[in-house]
Amino acid sequence: MTFTAIDAWWWPYVFILVAGWLATDFWRFLGVYLGGRISEESELIVLVRCIATALVAAVIANLVIFPSGALAGTPLLLRVGAGIAGFLAYLAAGKRVIVGILVGEATLGIGLLVFS
Amino acid sequence: MMPAAMLFGGSMHDFEIAQSGGHEGRAVWFRRGARAAFSIPGLILVSAFVGFAGLARDAGLTLAETVFMTGVVWALPGKVVLVGAILAGNGLPAAAFAVALSSVRLAPMVVALTPEMRTARTPTWVLYALSHFVAVTSWVLAMDRFRHVPRPMRTSFYAGLGSTLVLGNMVVVAAVFLIAGRLPPAVSAALFFLTPMYFLTSLWGSARERAGQVAMILGLALGPVFHLLTPDFDLVAAGMVAGLAAFGIHLIGKRRHQA
C-alpha cells in the first residue's frame, strides 16, 4: 500500500488524507478537546516532544546525507560542511534562523562554484 | 485606575487598540491578523515552503498533490516526514505512523493556545476549525501578538493570520512548482537545501528543554544509520530510539539534580 501502489488518480489524495491530514489534525483536535487538562510541563509531554524532535531530525539528516535530485550531484562533504557552517552561524548570531539559512546556502553556493 | 496594558509595559497605543476592540468589527481584526502574517517569521516560513515545493516535486508528486498536501497537513515537519516516507516507498500504515509521531507536539501547542482565544461565548466548532492553522510559525506569532488583541476578537485575528499563511504558502508552493523544472542545477540544489537548513536551526531554537536538543543531535546521527539498517522503517525507528534515549538522559539528569 505505497504511494504508487494503486494506479488511480484518487489514490495519492487518499494516501495524503490518511497519512497526512488524519495523522496531524487528530492531534490538533485532541488538543482542543483536552483543553487545559494537560500541563505543558508534564513528563509525558517532554517524552512526546523528544520523540517528535528526533524524528524530524532523522528526516533532516537523511535529506542531507542521502539526497535525491539536484542535491545528489553535490559532494557529501560540502553538504555536511554547509549545514554545520549555517548552524554555527545561527548560534553565533543569537539563534537567528534567517542568518543560519543564508550562511548555509552561501557556503553551499560558493562550494559549488569552486568544485564545478 | 491605571490601564492594565500600561501596568504590564504595553504602550498607550496598544491599550487604545485593545479598548476600541469592542467597537470595531470582526472584519477589522481579521484583516489585522492577515497583516501579521507579513513579518520576518512569515518570510522565513515562505523560504521553507519554497524548499518544500522543490522537495515534493523531486519526490515525484504532482502540483495538485503538493498544493493539496500543503492545505490539509499544513505543519511543515509532518509534510517533510510524509514526503520522506513516500520517497522511501513506505506503506500507508508506516507513513501515517511516522507522520503521527512527528505531529504529536501539535496537541500541547493547541492546548496552550486555545485558552487564550476562548471566551464563554466562543462556539466549540470555531476552536476546532481554527486548530487546523496551528503550526510552529502561526503559533509563535499568535502567542506573541495576542496580548495586543482584545480577547473576544482573538479568534477573528487568528483566523486572518492562519488563513493568510496557509493560502499564501499554497500559492508559493504552486508558483515554485511551475518554475522549478527550468532552474539551473546549482539553483535547484540550493532550493532543496532550504528545508534541512530551516529545520536545523528552527528545531534547535524551538526546543523547550535541553532534552529536546539532545533528541535532535541523536536523531541527526541515527537517521542515516537506520536508513541503512531498516530502510522501510527508518524514520520511526530513529525517532523512537533517539527520543527515548534523550528522555532517559533527561530523567537521569533530573534525578541527579534533585539528589
Side-chain angles (χ1 to χ4, degrees):
Chain A
M1 294 288 270
T2 62
F3 190 67
T4 51
I6 301 174
D7 190 21
W9 71 266
W10 47 265
W11 172 245
Y13 296 94
V14 172
F15 194 97
I16 292 168
L17 272 180
V18 176
W21 172 74
L22 197 63
T24 46
D25 264 3
F26 170 79
W27 298 112
R28 294 185 178 107
F29 295 164
L30 185 71
V32 176
Y33 176 75
L34 289 177
R37 263 172 270 188
I38 15 173
S39 160
E40 274 239 84
E41 312 300 323
S42 86
E43 292 294 317
L44 182 67
I45 299 290
V46 175
L47 172 63
V48 155
R49 276 202 294 257
C50 280
I51 294 177
T53 303
L55 204 140
V56 176
V59 177
I60 295 318
N62 286 349
L63 286 178
V64 173
I65 309 285
F66 309 105
S68 55
L71 260 189
T74 62
L76 171 67
L77 276 178
L78 176 61
R79 295 194 300 269
V80 175
I84 291 173
F87 186 72
L88 291 178
Y90 157 79
L91 289 181
K95 295 194 180 179
R96 283 220 291 277
V97 173
I98 192 89
V99 174
I101 293 176
L102 290 177
V103 170
E105 289 286 352
T107 310
L108 185 79
I110 292 167
L112 287 178
L113 283 178
V114 171
F115 285 106
S116 61
Chain B
M1 205 180 78
M2 207 190 289
M6 289 180 75
L7 271 176
F8 293 108
S11 68
M12 197 59 208
H13 176 65
D14 295 334
F15 176 70
E16 277 162 5
I17 288 175
Q19 280 290 295
S20 57
H23 312 292
E24 283 167 341
R26 296 202 165 270
V28 172
W29 283 103
F30 184 92
R31 276 203 300 277
R32 286 193 179 132
R35 215 181 305 147
F38 297 87
S39 52
I40 293 289
L43 185 74
I44 293 172
L45 187 67
V46 166
S47 80
F49 271 92
V50 168
F52 169 74
L55 179 76
R57 188 180 188 281
D58 206 53
L61 272 73
T62 65
L63 182 144
E65 288 160 8
T66 310
V67 172
F68 180 70
M69 191 189 287
T70 303
V72 299
V73 179
W74 178 228
L76 203 50
K79 284 205 300 292
V80 172
V81 169
L82 183 54
V83 171
I86 289 171
L87 269 174
N90 286 173
L92 182 56
F97 192 51
V99 173
L101 271 182
S102 74
S103 306
V104 187
R105 83 211 133 69
L106 292 171
M109 286 166 71
V110 173
V111 167
L113 187 71
T114 306
E116 306 247 340
M117 295 195 285
R118 189 170 42 204
T119 67
R121 286 188 299 161
T122 310
T124 311
W125 70 265
V126 169
L127 295 173
Y128 277 101
L130 288 179
S131 77
H132 180 69
F133 295 138
V134 172
V136 174
T137 301
S138 76
W139 187 82
V140 169
L141 277 170
M143 294 296 261
D144 182 47
R145 304 289 168 86
F146 267 179
R147 58 208 155 95
H148 306 309
V149 182
R151 181 170 282 270
M153 292 297 135
R154 286 180 183 172
T155 45
S156 303
F157 183 87
Y158 193 63
L161 171 66
S163 62
T164 305
L165 285 172
V166 173
L167 292 173
N169 281 299
M170 285 169 80
V171 172
V172 166
V173 162
V176 173
F177 215 94
L178 290 173
I179 59 165
R182 281 175 246 158
L183 297 174
V187 177
S188 301
L191 201 73
F192 294 137
F193 202 61
L194 275 173
T195 304
M197 223 41 253
Y198 172 75
F199 278 111
L200 263 181
T201 49
S202 65
L203 207 54
W204 186 267
S206 69
R208 293 295 181 82
E209 54 266 307
R210 177 113 320 204
Q213 296 174 337
V214 175
M216 177 178 153
I217 293 167
L218 291 177
L220 284 172
L222 289 184
V225 172
F226 279 102
H227 184 76
L228 297 174
L229 290 179
T230 57
D232 293 335
F233 220 59
D234 53 345
L235 301 179
V236 171
M240 293 291 258
V241 173
L244 283 171
F247 184 66
I249 294 169
H250 165 77
L251 286 183
I252 292 167
K254 209 172 164 184
R255 197 161 303 161
R256 198 171 292 165
H257 189 71
Q258 283 167 348

